[in-house]
Amino acid sequence: MSDQLIFGMEVFLNGLMAGVLYALVALGFVLIYKASGIFNYAQGVMALFSALTLVGIMEGQIPFAHVINAIFGTEIHHFGWHVPGILAIALTMVVMVVLAVCVQKFLFRHLVGQEPIILFMATIGLAYFLEGVGDLMWGSEIKKLDVGLPQGINLVIDEVTAGWFGYGFFIDNLDIVATVIAALLVAALVIFAQYTKQGRAMRAVADDHQAALSVGISLNFIWVMVWSVAGFVALVAGIMWGTKSGVQFSLSLIALKALPVLMLGGFTSIPGAIVGGLIIGVGEKLFEFAIGPLVGGATENWFAYVLALIFLVFRPQGLFGEKIIERV
Amino acid sequence: MKLKLATLALGATMAAAPAMADLVFPSLSYRTGPFAAGGIPFADGYADYFTLLNERDGGIGGELTQVPECETAYNTEKGVECYEATKDSGALIYQPLSTGITYQLIPKVTADGIPLHTMGYGRTSAKNGKVFSHVFNYPANYWDGASAGVNHFLEKSGGSLEGKKITLLHFNGAYGREPIPTLEALSEKHGFDFNAIPIDYPGQEQKSQWLQIRRERPDFVLFWGWGVMNQVAIQEAANIRFDMENFMGIWWSGSENDVKPAGDGANGYKALQFHNVGNDYPVFDDIQKYVVDSGKAAGAGDQIGTVLYNRGVYAAFLAAEAAKQAQKANGTSAINAAMMRDAMESLEINAEIMTAAGLPNFGPEFNVTCTNHGGEGMAAVAQWDAGAASWSLISDFAPADASVVGPLIDADSAAYAAENNIEMGCN
Amino acid sequence: MFYREAGDFKTSYAEDNQTFPIKFDRYRYYAVMFAAFAVVPFLINDYWVNAIFLPFLIYSIAAIGLNILVGYCGQVSLGTGGFMAVGAYACYKLMTSFPEVSIFFHVILAGGVTALVCILFGLPSLRIKGFYLAVATLAAQFFLVWLFNRVPWFYNYSASGQINSPERTVFGIAVTGPHTSAWATYLFCLVFLTACALIGRNLTRGMVGRKWMAIRDMDIAAEIIGVNPLKAKISAFGVSGFFVGISGALLFAVYLGAAEAGDSFGINKSFLVLFMIIIGGLGSIFGSFAGAAFLVLLPVLLKNVLVGVLGWPTDMAAHLEFIIVGGLIITFLILEPHGLAQLWRVAKEKLRLWPFPH
């Protein structure tokens, strides 16, 4: 087998893994869009916020220590204890649920029935707000997030493929873990949506708000729930990306990686987010591998969008989106 | 209508400008935004050194110093606003710690007659004082860095790079592209293969780049990154088990923030430095005593001795020394920006001065002249020891290859002069 | 009391069709114009120009451009930053290639170039709608920035890839480069803003604007009543691109003086201009001004109050600024989803009836 083909296969596999991470972020968007028609730009910031909170809790940081010190002249910063990972994740989840309740209570309850662009803007406002609060609460220095996920080259795959092709493939352990977790997460979401009462209610709301309301489903509750689930997805994404690159401001920019995935898969489809993620991941990595060197590299930022754009021209609602029916 | 109302509202707030009497060293810092992790320790070091001078010596030559801070968030427009807001307060020198803001400020400071010091960043060809009368980039610039890196590789491979392969992994922007011309010239001179791999901002995802490095197996990798890009690159290098001995970052990719997230994997990673590392200097004891313990520190006081804090202290030290020499040359303690510029142009930093300031052997010795605003381009190599969690210099400060860097600087500055109709000075 | 049409008789079609048919409105407009052209230039200094007036004028042009596309034609675009970059780089290439031609024409030509690029990226809008289109315009944003970073021709092969605006003059007075005076740059941008606002206002009042609005409200219905969606959408993209390109050219040449695609024209710029028109009011020229003023002034004001007056640490102030801006956006949307322009409209309605509201 030629070298290029072997390299291409390695790139392909890595692209699939990267795609899973993109899909993870995109999932949060889809959940909220489906249930409430809100295009939640704040999803990336939610991932950052949850990761910051997680690290803060694990390290026993005192929230708003910086502000308290500045106002009262004290010198506090840590409680002095370390919280184990699992407990910290649970506590962070509580924070995300509280956040979901607040978002619903103070923001979207007042915006029911507005145009989508207004709702979109509101989430941008929310993103700004959360960014400021997150930094003010936990400080803006880089934090290392370690919940015990493995990282680094997977030696088994390296050796096996070296035996096959004479060139060991590089697959990151973290990516493998992320893939497994993402698969579990999707399975859990599907089971939740199909087999639980709340899940069915959620699907009913997604189909038709008014019909759902008329059979006695509390929209308010469903929306809080959806934002909580999206918060959970954000937390998982935050853990994955935070382990990879440390927890800091740029984590919020992963939202930009998820947008082409959404376009491709359709805003309303969970399988779409997964398939879209995989296509984008593989597509951009292969393009960078094959064409990148010819045009000077760093194509990944725009290629995903152009790829999605080309798909859209042929299928304006995305691969799995609901067909847009227009009537006058 | 709207404008007039705004004018009234703002007029009231603008009245609170700093007093004119002190020596003003504005700090265009960034404690927020994507590069905050790098901006905070630098700004702390910069402010703390001047606080130390005030507390311990009563300022510089009897004049108290003042460091008004303005937050730029690494954003060029906010940088311009900060510059305009502070320049009339008697600002003596600007150090924006951002290549983007530097480019905005070069024409502005030249017109306003305020010196701009871009230590190890900014426009490399500003070294040519004949064209850039108010811009200084001593003690070292990017092209010196590229040359110093290649020199180190040259030494490692026994004096010849013939047939070796050097890859530059860089931020896909002005800052990251700066070293490319130098490295191309050097590759011709030394006969190594050179290729550049760009990483787009913010650089959280570098799988493609590192798979490419893994495939092509370059002998050495030079790295020009800033912000989150640094941590990810070092992590990925550790992941593919690239030999850290052969992986070297520029000084902006060599702080504790960058290597710590990768843990033991980062052991042996190298980075260039134009000043010394560690906290074993008398000045830090003084800062602890006079500044941190008395609660006057700009930050939490826990950054002392880290690379970027040291760099902030070094930047402040160079500015303070220039101010001192300006006071001496003009026989007055109340200096202005023009005197400051003249003093910077004849600045001389030697062992004696560094020792007197409590920073013995902290940086290279160098002289600034009218034609050479960049010193001798001395840089050293530092290496990270993950076990001890500390950087240490593994080489002396050595000059860059002036025969390669010099002509490039002349060509680039001449092009700038032609484009902007600047007459050559220093005759 | 003052603000009413009673007694304000029109005797010709021209009078009836003028931009500001109500007398009080018209005088107010003349007063603002007089102040902007003849009073402000004598009062401003470097700080005022660079921190407030230039960004306000330039972003107003961009906001008018984007408002035509989003507010009037309903095509959501997140590619504004990229299109401003086109204007900036086109202006740079023109400035350095034809130094003898006045900068005034360079800026206009830069707008023209941007219009063409904008039309090109607007073509998919015929098939892609709503948020899908918004995200698709991001392709333009990222691709254009990458292109300007990548192709050395755009930045004249300089070592760093930065572009610097050389000194250019209008009637012998420098408007770009380091040796400009505050009033000159201010007036230069003001002239462009005035022209753009007039063109924008009159386009949106006329047949073209009505077509755009028909497309915005429901494109299929518009098609049925005989509006050609191709022409309407393409013209909206073109006009919008023209204004956005001018603002990009001014931002680079007059305001910043140096720029780099990724740094100065990133995705944040796209969002910033979009915020402006949403806070100001979609589908309103006045809203574009109000939004730009709001988002240019607010951070400067907050910074000066928090740091300058209250003496807070700069980082806390910056974080708080985020919280306040975010909070204000949310509050605004909840209280008045149609922006500052709607508040203004409501105020005018109240004024018309005052002091006898019933």
Side-chain angles (χ1 to χ4, degrees):
Chain A
M1 228 188 283
S2 79
D3 280 357
Q4 284 303 314
L5 197 65
I6 294 173
F7 292 152
M9 277 168 64
E10 186 191 23
V11 170
F12 180 84
L13 284 175
N14 273 288
L16 279 182
M17 304 271 173
V20 171
L21 280 177
Y22 299 158
L24 212 50
V25 186
L27 262 184
F29 281 94
V30 171
L31 282 172
I32 291 180
Y33 191 82
K34 220 169 139 63
S36 55
I38 295 169
F39 187 84
N40 179 26
Y41 179 74
Q43 187 67 25
V45 183
M46 276 166 66
L48 169 67
F49 184 77
S50 63
L52 275 175
T53 312
L54 178 61
V55 177
I57 292 175
M58 281 177 77
E59 303 282 314
Q61 260 188 304
I62 299 174
F64 297 110
H66 190 47
V67 185
I68 297 171
N69 290 346
I71 296 175
F72 301 107
T74 49
E75 289 225 9
I76 50 170
H77 45 96
H78 283 89
F79 289 118
W81 62 63
H82 287 266
V83 182
I86 298 293
L87 184 61
I89 290 177
L91 286 173
T92 310
M93 206 41 236
V94 173
V95 174
M96 296 312 282
V97 171
V98 172
L99 178 72
V101 174
C102 291
V103 164
Q104 185 53 33
K105 196 169 164 64
F106 296 115
L107 184 54
F108 290 108
R109 233 180 67 189
H110 304 281
L111 288 173
V112 173
Q114 293 292 353
E115 290 162 50
I117 180 108
I118 304 287
L119 296 173
F120 171 61
M121 280 308 294
T123 65
I124 296 183
L126 178 67
Y128 267 54
F129 189 79
L130 271 185
E131 223 168 282
V133 171
D135 274 359
L136 214 52
M137 225 164 141
W138 306 111
S140 46
E141 66 274 13
I142 288 187
K143 296 173 192 70
K144 183 171 162 50
L145 174 63
D146 187 1
V147 290
L149 298 179
Q151 226 179 342
I153 183 166
N154 188 304
L155 293 173
V156 178
I157 293 177
D158 186 31
E159 274 167 30
V160 170
T161 48
W164 290 351
F165 310 113
Y167 173 81
F169 280 10
F170 173 84
I171 308 285
D172 198 327
N173 276 324
L174 182 64
D175 287 347
I176 298 174
V177 173
T179 312
V180 172
I181 291 179
L184 289 178
L185 191 67
V186 172
L189 282 176
V190 169
I191 291 172
F192 174 72
Q194 299 288 343
Y195 299 108
T196 64
K197 191 172 160 224
Q198 284 79 11
R200 291 205 189 106
M202 190 175 88
R203 284 194 298 151
V205 171
D207 273 350
D208 192 327
H209 288 181
Q210 277 172 354
L213 208 51
S214 65
V215 294
I217 294 170
S218 158
L219 279 186
N220 225 0
F221 172 74
I222 294 297
W223 281 335
V224 168
M225 191 179 74
V226 166
W227 276 84
S228 306
V229 175
F232 179 65
V233 174
L235 175 62
V236 175
I239 292 174
M240 295 302 159
W241 287 91
T243 307
K244 221 173 148 87
S245 61
V247 179
Q248 31 67 42
F249 180 86
S250 308
L251 205 61
S252 60
L253 300 175
I254 54 175
L256 293 179
K257 278 280 174 201
L259 294 181
V261 174
L262 285 175
M263 284 163 70
L264 197 61
F267 288 155
T268 49
S269 161
I270 290 178
I274 308 284
V275 176
L278 295 181
I279 294 178
I280 293 284
V282 170
E284 69 175 24
K285 293 283 183 291
L286 277 181
F287 185 82
E288 176 76 25
F289 168 65
I291 316 287
L294 304 179
V295 294
T299 56
E300 285 178 58
N301 263 3
W302 60 265
F303 180 73
Y305 284 98
V306 173
L307 185 69
L309 187 63
I310 294 168
F311 266 90
L312 279 192
V313 170
F314 294 102
R315 237 188 113 75
Q317 71 274 37
L319 280 181
F320 293 87
E322 287 153 19
K323 180 124 185 69
I324 302 164
I325 301 164
E326 285 180 286
R327 293 191 188 89
V328 178
Chain B
M1 288 278 271
K2 185 144 208 70
L3 289 183
K4 280 189 289 187
L5 283 176
T7 311
L8 286 176
L10 266 171
T13 66
M14 286 308 299
M20 295 286 283
D22 300 342
L23 300 178
V24 182
F25 299 88
S27 166
L28 305 191
S29 61
Y30 40 97
R31 296 168 179 276
T32 62
F35 301 105
I40 293 170
F42 185 90
D44 286 351
Y46 196 70
D48 284 353
Y49 186 77
F50 284 114
T51 315
L52 172 70
L53 292 183
N54 284 350
E55 297 293 314
R56 187 187 60 188
D57 313 338
I60 301 172
E63 290 277 337
L64 282 181
T65 63
Q66 225 194 69
V67 186
E69 257 192 57
C70 189
E71 173 71 33
T72 66
Y74 205 76
N75 172 319
T76 45
E77 278 156 63
K78 281 196 192 163
V80 172
E81 194 245 299
C82 277
Y83 170 75
E84 296 293 345
T86 49
K87 75 172 184 191
D88 291 329
S89 61
L92 292 178
I93 183 174
Y94 278 93
Q95 305 208 28
L97 196 65
S98 146
T99 296
I101 297 176
T102 301
Y103 271 80
Q104 320 282 321
L105 292 189
I106 285 174
K108 288 186 201 288
V109 292
T110 309
D112 294 331
I114 303 173
L116 179 71
H117 184 195
T118 59
M119 191 173 75
Y121 58 91
R123 185 171 192 130
T124 302
S125 56
K127 181 177 177 155
N128 186 353
K130 285 188 272 187
V131 176
F132 297 91
S133 57
H134 285 74
V135 190
F136 298 84
N137 56 10
Y138 54 78
N141 56 47
Y142 289 139
W143 296 355
D144 296 332
S147 165
V150 170
N151 283 344
H152 180 74
F153 294 152
L154 197 62
E155 201 181 299
K156 271 207 72 175
S157 43
S160 164
L161 283 170
E162 203 70 49
K164 298 273 184 188
K165 207 159 158 184
I166 298 182
T167 291
L168 170 73
L169 186 67
H170 67 93
F171 171 55
N172 192 26
Y175 152 60
R177 265 198 309 270
E178 283 264 347
I180 292 178
T182 317
L183 288 170
E184 277 168 351
L186 284 167
S187 99
E188 243 164 64
K189 180 173 170 182
H190 294 295
F192 60 84
D193 281 336
F194 166 69
N195 74 327
I197 305 181
I199 309 170
D200 251 332
Y201 169 84
Q204 267 169 325
E205 172 64 35
Q206 301 179 14
K207 216 23 120 283
S208 296
Q209 283 83 359
W210 284 97
L211 283 177
Q212 193 181 343
I213 288 175
R214 193 165 177 268
R215 282 194 300 271
E216 293 173 356
R217 300 176 194 283
D219 297 284
F220 302 102
V221 174
L222 263 179
F223 175 50
W224 245 251
W226 185 224
V228 66
M229 198 172 287
N230 290 348
Q231 294 111 42
V232 176
I234 292 166
Q235 180 72 58
E236 292 281 0
N239 286 351
I240 72 161
R241 291 178 298 169
F242 190 82
D243 188 359
M244 285 292 176
E245 281 283 320
N246 298 332
F247 182 31
M248 178 150 72
I250 184 70
W251 32 74
W252 300 113
S253 310
S255 73
E256 286 79 2
N257 290 332
D258 306 330
V259 282
K260 276 193 177 154
D264 288 340
N267 191 34
Y269 173 70
K270 290 172 176 168
L272 291 159
Q273 296 293 352
F274 52 80
H275 59 78
N276 222 319
V277 291
N279 56 2
D280 197 12
Y281 294 92
V283 72
F284 293 130
D285 300 335
D286 284 353
I287 288 181
Q288 186 69 39
K289 185 172 149 201
Y290 289 98
V291 183
V292 178
D293 290 345
S294 62
K296 296 197 169 72
D302 55 355
Q303 295 281 334
I304 293 179
T306 65
V307 171
L308 290 168
Y309 184 90
N310 286 12
R311 194 163 298 156
V313 169
Y314 189 54
F317 156 74
L318 291 178
E321 286 311 316
K324 266 183 210 166
Q325 295 189 8
Q327 287 174 336
K328 212 178 291 171
N330 294 284
T332 167
S333 63
I335 53 169
N336 60 24
M339 297 176 190
M340 183 78 178
R341 190 208 83 86
D342 294 343
M344 286 174 78
E345 203 164 77
S346 56
L347 185 69
E348 196 186 324
I349 297 293
N350 56 33
E352 205 179 309
I353 291 177
M354 285 190 281
T355 311
L359 290 162
N361 194 28
F362 193 74
E365 297 185 6
F366 62 90
N367 291 322
V368 186
T369 62
C370 179
T371 51
N372 178 1
H373 280 192
E376 281 79 40
M378 307 278 266
V381 179
Q383 193 166 28
W384 174 250
D385 180 347
S390 70
W391 287 97
S392 49
L393 290 194
I394 57 166
S395 79
D396 291 330
F397 290 102
D401 187 344
S403 68
V404 171
V405 178
L408 288 171
I409 286 179
D410 289 340
D412 192 62
S413 51
Y416 181 83
E419 208 169 83
N420 293 281
N421 300 322
I422 293 174
E423 273 182 46
M424 298 277 184
C426 299
N427 297 316
Chain C
M1 188 162 68
F2 309 108
Y3 184 82
R4 58 178 49 161
E5 52 274 72
D8 191 1
F9 300 112
K10 307 286 189 306
T11 50
S12 69
Y13 282 121
E15 267 180 28
D16 208 26
N17 275 335
Q18 61 190 333
T19 315
F20 295 102
I22 298 174
K23 205 184 264 166
F24 180 74
D25 245 357
R26 200 158 54 242
Y27 290 142
R28 181 186 52 83
Y29 167 71
Y30 292 144
V32 170
M33 291 297 274
F34 177 76
F37 274 97
V39 179
V40 175
F42 294 103
L43 299 178
I44 51 180
N45 59 18
D46 274 357
Y47 177 78
W48 281 97
V49 155
N50 282 313
I52 291 163
F53 280 103
L54 285 189
F56 164 68
L57 296 173
I58 292 168
Y59 282 121
S60 294
I61 300 178
I64 291 172
L66 191 65
N67 219 336
I68 284 175
L69 191 59
V70 182
Y72 286 98
C73 196
Q75 311 295 309
V76 183
S77 162
L78 291 174
T80 321
F83 296 132
M84 284 171 86
V86 175
Y89 277 78
C91 186
Y92 174 70
K93 284 306 283 185
L94 289 164
M95 277 164 89
T96 48
S97 309
F98 307 103
E100 62 283 350
V101 179
S102 166
I103 172 92
F104 187 77
F105 299 108
H106 289 153
V107 172
I108 293 174
L109 279 176
V113 172
T114 314
L116 294 179
V117 176
C118 209
I119 287 173
L120 187 70
F121 280 97
L123 286 176
S125 71
L126 294 170
R127 260 186 85 76
I128 307 171
K129 283 164 194 164
F131 279 117
Y132 287 98
L133 177 67
V135 181
T137 52
L138 281 176
Q141 168 71 46
F142 287 109
F143 178 73
L144 289 169
V145 165
W146 176 83
L147 190 72
F148 291 129
N149 254 329
R150 200 60 249 162
V151 183
W153 180 78
F154 287 115
Y155 48 84
N156 282 358
Y157 304 95
S158 76
S160 59
Q162 287 264 4
I163 53 174
N164 288 286
S165 75
E167 182 164 306
R168 293 288 178 269
T169 55
V170 174
F171 304 123
I173 298 155
V175 292
T176 68
H179 302 285
T180 51
S181 32
W183 64 268
T185 51
Y186 166 80
L187 276 183
F188 187 66
C189 291
L190 184 64
V191 166
F192 276 103
L193 175 60
T194 314
C196 288
L198 283 177
I199 296 172
R201 171 83 191 176
N202 284 306
L203 276 179
T204 51
R205 271 165 12 112
M207 190 170 73
V208 189
R210 281 162 214 274
K211 281 184 180 170
W212 289 339
M213 286 185 262
I215 291 281
R216 170 192 69 187
D217 293 340
M218 189 171 220
D219 52 357
I220 295 190
E223 206 175 337
I224 291 167
I225 59 167
V227 176
N228 182 343
L230 175 73
K231 276 189 196 157
K233 285 184 181 174
I234 290 301
S235 62
F237 269 98
V239 173
S240 160
F242 180 69
F243 290 167
V244 170
I246 286 181
S247 79
L250 292 176
L251 186 76
F252 152 68
V254 180
Y255 177 45
L256 291 177
E260 188 203 341
D263 198 28
S264 309
F265 300 105
I267 175 89
N268 288 333
K269 201 119 292 181
S270 302
F271 280 124
L272 180 68
V273 182
L274 190 66
F275 286 174
M276 286 175 179
I277 62 168
I278 297 200
I279 288 185
L282 288 170
S284 155
I285 299 294
F286 169 76
S288 312
F289 283 91
F294 188 78
L295 279 182
V296 167
L297 282 176
L298 185 71
V300 176
L301 188 71
L302 280 178
K303 192 161 143 180
N304 280 318
V305 170
L306 293 178
V307 179
V309 178
L310 300 178
W312 287 23
T314 51
D315 54 338
M316 259 171 65
H319 292 146
L320 205 66
E321 200 183 300
F322 264 92
I323 297 181
I324 293 176
V325 171
L328 274 176
I329 292 176
I330 292 173
T331 320
F332 253 110
L333 291 174
I334 290 174
L335 296 180
E336 186 46 84
H338 298 289
L340 294 168
Q342 180 67 18
L343 284 181
W344 178 241
R345 252 174 249 138
V346 171
K348 282 205 294 193
E349 280 307 309
K350 290 244 161 80
L351 261 183
R352 269 174 76 184
L353 300 175
W354 191 83
F356 305 112
H358 295 294

